[in-house]
Amino acid sequence: TNNHVIEGADEITVIMYDQSEFSAELIGRDPKADIAVLKINHDGKILKSVNWGDSDKARVGDWTIAIGNPLGLGGTVTAGIVSAIARDIGGGPYVKFIQTDASINIGNSGGPLFNIEGEIIGINTAIISQTGGSIGLGFAIPSNNAKKIVSQLIEFGKTRRGWLGVEITNVSQDIAESLGLQNTKGAFVSGVNQSGPSKEAGIQEGDVILRFNDVEVKKMLDLPRIVAD
């Protein structure tokens, strides 16, 4: 589920599709990615899980199906399409969202976003709305991001992320021209942590990081995400 769904809770109860209820314990949570992992005390009841899908294969226009508990109406199913992929909505530096126009309202958070094969390609997390209701702008954490975080939460109880120890900013047109760059791609290093790994590696203020781990840094916001992975 999402971290914001269970944050601050003293007790957590999971209600199944047949209205059976189970207590759950918190295994770990990651506020920065808004993901939490719960363990259900299932009392011997056989539970069947659904399967993760490959969110990298999602294309704009693909059908999506969302299931959740909007406004307390549990088991609500809505359908739509993938409206955009890798969307930045200011929800933290570590996640790019899948955007869908399947109706998502308050209470859908933590529910699955399926592809047409019934595989989870996202965790419904946020909406953008001036009214508080669905206007077709829903956002889900991609399954490939979620799987990595979930596995770490299960194993360690927290998320372990890589870090560089740099302060970065966008490569402006002026910076690009002054450095003789062909475009504004990359992350401009505006500061270096004196005790961080970047200092030891020789990174200096004024450098521009264009690739990390052989992944292109197209814009400044890409770098924290790539490093964290």
Side-chain angles (χ1 to χ4, degrees):
T1 188
N2 288 131
N3 176 69
H4 77 260
V5 173
I6 54 85
E7 192 170 22
D10 295 321
E11 296 181 356
I12 301 173
T13 301
V14 175
I15 304 174
M16 309 303 288
Y17 69 94
D18 60 0
Q19 299 306 303
S20 57
E21 297 186 10
F22 300 99
S23 62
E25 60 178 300
L26 179 64
I27 298 299
R29 63 191 188 96
D30 182 357
K32 291 182 178 179
D34 200 7
I35 290 178
V37 174
L38 308 179
K39 181 179 181 181
I40 299 175
N41 300 313
H42 57 86
D43 298 327
K45 181 182 177 78
I46 297 175
L47 302 175
K48 186 177 181 180
S49 63
V50 289
N51 297 319
W52 291 109
D54 185 352
S55 56
D56 288 343
K57 293 182 178 179
R59 302 168 301 169
V60 173
D62 283 350
W63 281 101
T64 57
I65 301 165
I67 297 180
N69 185 36
L71 306 178
L73 300 173
T76 293
V77 182
T78 54
I81 61 170
V82 174
S83 303
I85 55 176
R87 183 74 85 190
D88 284 308
I89 61 169
Y94 301 120
V95 175
K96 283 186 174 182
F97 293 90
I98 295 174
Q99 182 182 330
T100 179
D101 68 348
S103 292
I104 294 176
N105 289 282
I106 296 171
N108 269 108
S109 293
L113 183 71
F114 291 102
N115 61 18
I116 202 66
E117 305 297 328
E119 301 167 327
I120 297 177
I121 58 169
I123 299 174
N124 301 322
T125 298
I127 61 173
I128 291 178
S129 171
Q130 295 174 324
T131 63
S134 175
I135 58 172
L137 296 174
F139 301 90
I141 299 169
S143 60
N144 288 359
N145 290 91
K147 281 189 290 185
K148 294 178 184 177
I149 295 169
V150 166
S151 64
Q152 289 193 20
L153 291 177
I154 291 172
E155 185 174 356
F156 308 116
K158 61 182 181 180
T159 307
R160 295 180 171 182
R161 292 188 171 95
W163 75 295
L164 274 183
V166 292
E167 297 175 15
I168 55 174
T169 187
N170 288 309
V171 179
S172 66
Q173 192 66 46
D174 289 341
I175 291 174
E177 290 177 359
S178 67
L179 295 176
L181 299 175
Q182 299 297 314
N183 49 54
T184 58
K185 290 182 178 180
F188 181 81
V189 178
S190 58
V192 175
N193 187 316
Q194 296 302 305
S195 59
S198 60
K199 176 70 174 179
E200 185 178 340
I203 294 178
Q204 301 176 0
E205 292 184 20
D207 285 345
V208 175
I209 300 174
L210 299 174
R211 302 184 74 84
F212 185 89
N213 199 31
D214 205 31
V215 179
E216 185 180 14
V217 180
K218 295 182 179 179
K219 53 187 177 184
M220 180 262 289
L221 287 175
D222 291 338
L223 184 62
R225 198 173 292 117
I226 299 169
V227 173
D229 284 343

Short mmCIF file of all heavy atoms in Angstrom, two decimals, residues 13-62:
data_model
loop_
_atom_site.label_atom_id
_atom_site.label_comp_id
_atom_site.label_asym_id
_atom_site.label_seq_id
_atom_site.Cartn_x
_atom_site.Cartn_y
_atom_site.Cartn_z
N THR A 13 -6.04 -2.81 9.74
CA THR A 13 -6.93 -3.92 9.38
C THR A 13 -7.06 -3.97 7.87
O THR A 13 -7.27 -2.94 7.22
CB THR A 13 -8.33 -3.73 10.01
OG1 THR A 13 -8.19 -3.67 11.43
CG2 THR A 13 -9.24 -4.88 9.64
N VAL A 14 -6.94 -5.18 7.32
CA VAL A 14 -7.10 -5.38 5.89
C VAL A 14 -8.44 -6.06 5.65
O VAL A 14 -8.73 -7.10 6.26
CB VAL A 14 -5.95 -6.24 5.31
CG1 VAL A 14 -6.20 -6.54 3.84
CG2 VAL A 14 -4.62 -5.52 5.48
N ILE A 15 -9.26 -5.48 4.78
CA ILE A 15 -10.57 -6.04 4.46
C ILE A 15 -10.49 -6.63 3.05
O ILE A 15 -10.14 -5.94 2.09
CB ILE A 15 -11.67 -4.97 4.52
CG1 ILE A 15 -11.68 -4.30 5.90
CG2 ILE A 15 -13.04 -5.57 4.21
CD1 ILE A 15 -12.63 -3.13 6.01
N MET A 16 -10.81 -7.93 2.94
CA MET A 16 -10.72 -8.63 1.67
C MET A 16 -11.98 -8.42 0.83
O MET A 16 -12.97 -7.83 1.28
CB MET A 16 -10.48 -10.11 1.91
CG MET A 16 -9.32 -10.42 2.86
SD MET A 16 -7.74 -9.73 2.32
CE MET A 16 -7.40 -10.81 0.92
N TYR A 17 -11.97 -8.94 -0.38
CA TYR A 17 -13.10 -8.77 -1.30
C TYR A 17 -14.38 -9.40 -0.76
O TYR A 17 -15.48 -8.97 -1.09
CB TYR A 17 -12.75 -9.38 -2.66
CG TYR A 17 -12.65 -10.89 -2.65
CD1 TYR A 17 -13.73 -11.68 -2.99
CD2 TYR A 17 -11.46 -11.51 -2.30
CE1 TYR A 17 -13.63 -13.07 -2.96
CE2 TYR A 17 -11.35 -12.88 -2.27
CZ TYR A 17 -12.45 -13.66 -2.60
OH TYR A 17 -12.35 -15.03 -2.57
N ASP A 18 -14.24 -10.45 0.09
CA ASP A 18 -15.43 -11.12 0.65
C ASP A 18 -15.80 -10.57 2.02
O ASP A 18 -16.56 -11.20 2.75
CB ASP A 18 -15.19 -12.63 0.73
CG ASP A 18 -14.00 -12.98 1.62
OD1 ASP A 18 -13.36 -12.05 2.16
OD2 ASP A 18 -13.69 -14.17 1.77
N GLN A 19 -15.23 -9.40 2.35
CA GLN A 19 -15.50 -8.69 3.60
C GLN A 19 -14.88 -9.33 4.83
O GLN A 19 -15.13 -8.90 5.96
CB GLN A 19 -17.02 -8.50 3.82
CG GLN A 19 -17.71 -7.69 2.74
CD GLN A 19 -17.05 -6.33 2.52
OE1 GLN A 19 -16.93 -5.54 3.44
NE2 GLN A 19 -16.65 -6.07 1.28
N SER A 20 -14.08 -10.39 4.65
CA SER A 20 -13.34 -10.93 5.79
C SER A 20 -12.24 -9.94 6.17
O SER A 20 -11.67 -9.27 5.31
CB SER A 20 -12.75 -12.30 5.45
OG SER A 20 -11.92 -12.23 4.29
N GLU A 21 -11.96 -9.85 7.47
CA GLU A 21 -11.01 -8.87 7.98
C GLU A 21 -9.84 -9.56 8.66
O GLU A 21 -10.01 -10.57 9.34
CB GLU A 21 -11.70 -7.92 8.97
CG GLU A 21 -12.81 -7.10 8.35
CD GLU A 21 -13.38 -6.07 9.33
OE1 GLU A 21 -12.77 -5.89 10.40
OE2 GLU A 21 -14.41 -5.46 9.01
N PHE A 22 -8.64 -8.99 8.47
CA PHE A 22 -7.44 -9.53 9.08
C PHE A 22 -6.62 -8.38 9.66
O PHE A 22 -6.56 -7.30 9.08
CB PHE A 22 -6.59 -10.29 8.05
CG PHE A 22 -7.29 -11.44 7.41
CD1 PHE A 22 -7.86 -11.30 6.15
CD2 PHE A 22 -7.40 -12.65 8.06
CE1 PHE A 22 -8.50 -12.36 5.55
CE2 PHE A 22 -8.05 -13.72 7.46
CZ PHE A 22 -8.60 -13.58 6.20
N SER A 23 -5.99 -8.65 10.78
CA SER A 23 -5.04 -7.67 11.31
C SER A 23 -3.75 -7.76 10.50
O SER A 23 -3.43 -8.80 9.93
CB SER A 23 -4.75 -7.95 12.79
OG SER A 23 -4.16 -9.23 12.95
N ALA A 24 -3.04 -6.66 10.44
CA ALA A 24 -1.80 -6.62 9.65
C ALA A 24 -0.73 -5.89 10.44
O ALA A 24 -1.02 -4.98 11.24
CB ALA A 24 -2.03 -5.93 8.32
N GLU A 25 0.51 -6.29 10.22
CA GLU A 25 1.63 -5.61 10.85
C GLU A 25 2.47 -4.91 9.78
O GLU A 25 2.54 -5.35 8.64
CB GLU A 25 2.50 -6.59 11.65
CG GLU A 25 3.12 -7.70 10.82
CD GLU A 25 4.00 -8.60 11.66
OE1 GLU A 25 4.97 -8.08 12.24
OE2 GLU A 25 3.74 -9.82 11.72
N LEU A 26 3.07 -3.81 10.19
CA LEU A 26 3.88 -3.02 9.27
C LEU A 26 5.28 -3.62 9.20
O LEU A 26 5.97 -3.70 10.21
CB LEU A 26 3.94 -1.57 9.74
CG LEU A 26 4.77 -0.59 8.91
CD1 LEU A 26 4.19 -0.45 7.51
CD2 LEU A 26 4.84 0.77 9.60
N ILE A 27 5.68 -4.05 8.02
CA ILE A 27 7.02 -4.63 7.82
C ILE A 27 8.05 -3.53 7.58
O ILE A 27 9.17 -3.58 8.05
CB ILE A 27 7.01 -5.62 6.64
CG1 ILE A 27 6.06 -6.78 6.93
CG2 ILE A 27 8.41 -6.15 6.37
CD1 ILE A 27 6.43 -7.59 8.16
N GLY A 28 7.67 -2.52 6.82
CA GLY A 28 8.58 -1.42 6.52
C GLY A 28 7.88 -0.38 5.67
O GLY A 28 6.88 -0.68 5.01
N ARG A 29 8.40 0.83 5.69
CA ARG A 29 7.79 1.89 4.88
C ARG A 29 8.86 2.83 4.36
O ARG A 29 9.92 2.98 4.96
CB ARG A 29 6.73 2.65 5.68
CG ARG A 29 7.24 3.41 6.88
CD ARG A 29 6.10 3.90 7.76
NE ARG A 29 6.57 4.79 8.83
CZ ARG A 29 6.59 6.11 8.76
NH1 ARG A 29 6.15 6.71 7.65
NH2 ARG A 29 7.02 6.85 9.75
N ASP A 30 8.55 3.44 3.24
CA ASP A 30 9.46 4.38 2.59
C ASP A 30 8.69 5.66 2.29
O ASP A 30 8.03 5.75 1.25
CB ASP A 30 10.01 3.75 1.31
CG ASP A 30 11.01 4.66 0.60
OD1 ASP A 30 11.23 5.80 1.07
OD2 ASP A 30 11.58 4.24 -0.42
N PRO A 31 8.74 6.65 3.18
CA PRO A 31 7.98 7.88 2.96
C PRO A 31 8.38 8.62 1.68
O PRO A 31 7.55 9.27 1.05
CB PRO A 31 8.31 8.72 4.20
CG PRO A 31 8.73 7.73 5.24
CD PRO A 31 9.43 6.65 4.49
N LYS A 32 9.66 8.52 1.29
CA LYS A 32 10.12 9.27 0.12
C LYS A 32 9.52 8.73 -1.17
O LYS A 32 9.33 9.48 -2.13
CB LYS A 32 11.64 9.23 0.05
CG LYS A 32 12.31 10.03 1.16
CD LYS A 32 13.82 10.01 1.04
CE LYS A 32 14.47 10.85 2.14
NZ LYS A 32 15.96 10.82 2.05
N ALA A 33 9.24 7.43 -1.20
CA ALA A 33 8.60 6.84 -2.38
C ALA A 33 7.12 6.57 -2.14
O ALA A 33 6.43 6.13 -3.04
CB ALA A 33 9.30 5.54 -2.77
N ASP A 34 6.64 6.84 -0.91
CA ASP A 34 5.25 6.64 -0.52
C ASP A 34 4.80 5.19 -0.69
O ASP A 34 3.74 4.92 -1.24
CB ASP A 34 4.32 7.58 -1.30
CG ASP A 34 2.97 7.76 -0.60
OD1 ASP A 34 2.82 7.27 0.53
OD2 ASP A 34 2.07 8.37 -1.20
N ILE A 35 5.63 4.27 -0.21
CA ILE A 35 5.29 2.84 -0.25
C ILE A 35 5.44 2.25 1.14
O ILE A 35 6.37 2.58 1.87
CB ILE A 35 6.20 2.09 -1.25
CG1 ILE A 35 5.86 2.50 -2.69
CG2 ILE A 35 6.07 0.57 -1.10
CD1 ILE A 35 6.73 1.84 -3.73
N ALA A 36 4.51 1.37 1.50
CA ALA A 36 4.58 0.62 2.75
C ALA A 36 4.24 -0.83 2.47
O ALA A 36 3.44 -1.14 1.59
CB ALA A 36 3.63 1.20 3.79
N VAL A 37 4.88 -1.73 3.23
CA VAL A 37 4.64 -3.17 3.08
C VAL A 37 4.00 -3.69 4.36
O VAL A 37 4.51 -3.46 5.46
CB VAL A 37 5.95 -3.94 2.80
CG1 VAL A 37 5.70 -5.45 2.80
CG2 VAL A 37 6.53 -3.52 1.47
N LEU A 38 2.87 -4.37 4.20
CA LEU A 38 2.15 -4.95 5.33
C LEU A 38 2.21 -6.47 5.26
O LEU A 38 2.27 -7.05 4.18
CB LEU A 38 0.68 -4.52 5.31
CG LEU A 38 0.37 -3.03 5.21
CD1 LEU A 38 -1.13 -2.81 5.18
CD2 LEU A 38 1.00 -2.27 6.36
N LYS A 39 2.19 -7.11 6.41
CA LYS A 39 2.10 -8.57 6.50
C LYS A 39 0.76 -8.91 7.12
O LYS A 39 0.44 -8.47 8.23
CB LYS A 39 3.24 -9.15 7.33
CG LYS A 39 3.21 -10.67 7.42
CD LYS A 39 4.37 -11.20 8.24
CE LYS A 39 4.35 -12.73 8.31
NZ LYS A 39 5.47 -13.25 9.13
N ILE A 40 -0.04 -9.70 6.40
CA ILE A 40 -1.37 -10.07 6.87
C ILE A 40 -1.28 -11.32 7.73
O ILE A 40 -0.67 -12.32 7.34
CB ILE A 40 -2.32 -10.33 5.67
CG1 ILE A 40 -2.47 -9.07 4.82
CG2 ILE A 40 -3.69 -10.80 6.16
CD1 ILE A 40 -3.27 -9.28 3.56
N ASN A 41 -1.89 -11.27 8.91
CA ASN A 41 -2.03 -12.46 9.75
C ASN A 41 -3.30 -13.19 9.28
O ASN A 41 -4.40 -12.88 9.71
CB ASN A 41 -2.13 -12.06 11.22
CG ASN A 41 -0.89 -11.31 11.68
OD1 ASN A 41 0.22 -11.73 11.42
ND2 ASN A 41 -1.09 -10.18 12.36
N HIS A 42 -3.11 -14.13 8.36
CA HIS A 42 -4.25 -14.67 7.59
C HIS A 42 -4.99 -15.81 8.27
O HIS A 42 -5.95 -16.35 7.72
CB HIS A 42 -3.78 -15.11 6.20
CG HIS A 42 -2.67 -16.12 6.23
ND1 HIS A 42 -2.92 -17.47 6.34
CD2 HIS A 42 -1.34 -15.98 6.17
CE1 HIS A 42 -1.76 -18.13 6.34
NE2 HIS A 42 -0.78 -17.23 6.24
N ASP A 43 -4.56 -16.22 9.46
CA ASP A 43 -5.29 -17.23 10.25
C ASP A 43 -5.57 -18.50 9.45
O ASP A 43 -6.63 -19.11 9.58
CB ASP A 43 -6.62 -16.65 10.77
CG ASP A 43 -6.41 -15.47 11.71
OD1 ASP A 43 -5.40 -15.48 12.44
OD2 ASP A 43 -7.25 -14.56 11.71
N GLY A 44 -4.63 -18.89 8.61
CA GLY A 44 -4.78 -20.13 7.86
C GLY A 44 -5.58 -20.03 6.59
O GLY A 44 -5.66 -20.99 5.81
N LYS A 45 -6.20 -18.88 6.34
CA LYS A 45 -6.98 -18.69 5.11
C LYS A 45 -6.03 -18.62 3.92
O LYS A 45 -5.01 -17.94 3.97
CB LYS A 45 -7.82 -17.41 5.18
CG LYS A 45 -8.69 -17.15 3.96
CD LYS A 45 -9.43 -15.83 4.12
CE LYS A 45 -10.27 -15.49 2.88
NZ LYS A 45 -11.52 -16.27 2.85
N ILE A 46 -6.35 -19.35 2.87
CA ILE A 46 -5.50 -19.35 1.67
C ILE A 46 -5.77 -18.08 0.86
O ILE A 46 -6.91 -17.83 0.45
CB ILE A 46 -5.76 -20.60 0.82
CG1 ILE A 46 -5.38 -21.86 1.61
CG2 ILE A 46 -4.95 -20.54 -0.49
CD1 ILE A 46 -5.71 -23.15 0.90
N LEU A 47 -4.75 -17.30 0.67
CA LEU A 47 -4.86 -16.05 -0.09
C LEU A 47 -4.09 -16.18 -1.40
O LEU A 47 -2.97 -16.68 -1.41
CB LEU A 47 -4.30 -14.88 0.74
CG LEU A 47 -4.95 -14.64 2.10
CD1 LEU A 47 -4.21 -13.54 2.84
CD2 LEU A 47 -6.42 -14.29 1.95
N LYS A 48 -4.69 -15.74 -2.46
CA LYS A 48 -4.04 -15.79 -3.78
C LYS A 48 -3.60 -14.39 -4.17
O LYS A 48 -4.40 -13.45 -4.16
CB LYS A 48 -5.01 -16.36 -4.82
CG LYS A 48 -4.36 -16.57 -6.18
CD LYS A 48 -5.34 -17.22 -7.15
CE LYS A 48 -4.66 -17.44 -8.51
NZ LYS A 48 -5.59 -18.07 -9.48
N SER A 49 -2.33 -14.27 -4.50
CA SER A 49 -1.81 -12.95 -4.86
C SER A 49 -1.90 -12.74 -6.37
O SER A 49 -1.97 -13.70 -7.15
CB SER A 49 -0.35 -12.81 -4.42
OG SER A 49 0.46 -13.75 -5.09
N VAL A 50 -1.89 -11.48 -6.77
CA VAL A 50 -1.82 -11.15 -8.19
C VAL A 50 -0.35 -10.94 -8.56
O VAL A 50 0.51 -10.82 -7.69
CB VAL A 50 -2.64 -9.88 -8.51
CG1 VAL A 50 -4.11 -10.19 -8.42
CG2 VAL A 50 -2.28 -8.75 -7.59
N ASN A 51 -0.06 -10.91 -9.83
CA ASN A 51 1.32 -10.88 -10.31
C ASN A 51 1.74 -9.48 -10.74
O ASN A 51 0.96 -8.71 -11.29
CB ASN A 51 1.49 -11.85 -11.49
CG ASN A 51 1.24 -13.29 -11.11
OD1 ASN A 51 1.64 -13.74 -10.03
ND2 ASN A 51 0.53 -14.02 -11.97
N TRP A 52 3.03 -9.19 -10.49
CA TRP A 52 3.61 -7.95 -11.00
C TRP A 52 3.73 -8.04 -12.52
O TRP A 52 4.02 -9.09 -13.07
CB TRP A 52 5.00 -7.74 -10.42
CG TRP A 52 5.10 -7.41 -8.97
CD1 TRP A 52 5.57 -8.22 -7.98
CD2 TRP A 52 4.77 -6.17 -8.33
NE1 TRP A 52 5.53 -7.57 -6.78
CE2 TRP A 52 5.06 -6.30 -6.96
CE3 TRP A 52 4.26 -4.96 -8.80
CZ2 TRP A 52 4.85 -5.28 -6.05
CZ3 TRP A 52 4.05 -3.93 -7.88
CH2 TRP A 52 4.34 -4.10 -6.53
N GLY A 53 3.56 -6.91 -13.18
CA GLY A 53 3.84 -6.80 -14.60
C GLY A 53 5.08 -5.93 -14.81
O GLY A 53 5.67 -5.42 -13.87
N ASP A 54 5.45 -5.76 -16.06
CA ASP A 54 6.62 -4.96 -16.43
C ASP A 54 6.15 -3.57 -16.84
O ASP A 54 5.66 -3.38 -17.96
CB ASP A 54 7.37 -5.65 -17.57
CG ASP A 54 8.67 -4.94 -17.94
OD1 ASP A 54 8.91 -3.83 -17.41
OD2 ASP A 54 9.43 -5.48 -18.76
N SER A 55 6.31 -2.60 -15.95
CA SER A 55 5.82 -1.25 -16.23
C SER A 55 6.60 -0.58 -17.35
O SER A 55 6.10 0.37 -17.97
CB SER A 55 5.87 -0.39 -14.96
OG SER A 55 7.18 -0.35 -14.41
N ASP A 56 7.82 -1.05 -17.63
CA ASP A 56 8.60 -0.46 -18.71
C ASP A 56 7.98 -0.75 -20.08
O ASP A 56 8.30 -0.08 -21.06
CB ASP A 56 10.04 -0.98 -18.69
CG ASP A 56 10.84 -0.42 -17.52
OD1 ASP A 56 10.40 0.60 -16.94
OD2 ASP A 56 11.89 -0.99 -17.19
N LYS A 57 7.12 -1.75 -20.13
CA LYS A 57 6.46 -2.10 -21.40
C LYS A 57 5.18 -1.30 -21.62
O LYS A 57 4.57 -1.39 -22.70
CB LYS A 57 6.16 -3.59 -21.45
CG LYS A 57 7.40 -4.47 -21.51
CD LYS A 57 7.03 -5.94 -21.62
CE LYS A 57 8.27 -6.83 -21.72
NZ LYS A 57 7.92 -8.27 -21.80
N ALA A 58 4.74 -0.55 -20.61
CA ALA A 58 3.51 0.24 -20.73
C ALA A 58 3.69 1.33 -21.79
O ALA A 58 4.72 2.00 -21.83
CB ALA A 58 3.13 0.85 -19.39
N ARG A 59 2.69 1.48 -22.63
CA ARG A 59 2.73 2.48 -23.70
C ARG A 59 1.54 3.42 -23.55
O ARG A 59 0.47 3.02 -23.10
CB ARG A 59 2.69 1.82 -25.07
CG ARG A 59 3.80 0.81 -25.34
CD ARG A 59 3.50 0.00 -26.59
NE ARG A 59 2.23 -0.73 -26.44
CZ ARG A 59 1.62 -1.35 -27.43
NH1 ARG A 59 2.14 -1.34 -28.64
NH2 ARG A 59 0.48 -1.99 -27.22
N VAL A 60 1.73 4.65 -23.97
CA VAL A 60 0.61 5.60 -23.98
C VAL A 60 -0.49 5.04 -24.87
O VAL A 60 -0.24 4.63 -26.01
CB VAL A 60 1.06 6.98 -24.47
CG1 VAL A 60 -0.13 7.90 -24.65
CG2 VAL A 60 2.06 7.59 -23.50
N GLY A 61 -1.70 4.98 -24.33
CA GLY A 61 -2.83 4.42 -25.07
C GLY A 61 -3.21 3.02 -24.64
O GLY A 61 -4.30 2.55 -24.98
N ASP A 62 -2.33 2.32 -23.91
CA ASP A 62 -2.66 0.99 -23.41
C ASP A 62 -3.81 1.08 -22.41
O ASP A 62 -3.90 2.02 -21.62
CB ASP A 62 -1.46 0.35 -22.70
CG ASP A 62 -0.41 -0.18 -23.67
OD1 ASP A 62 -0.69 -0.22 -24.88
OD2 ASP A 62 0.67 -0.55 -23.21
#
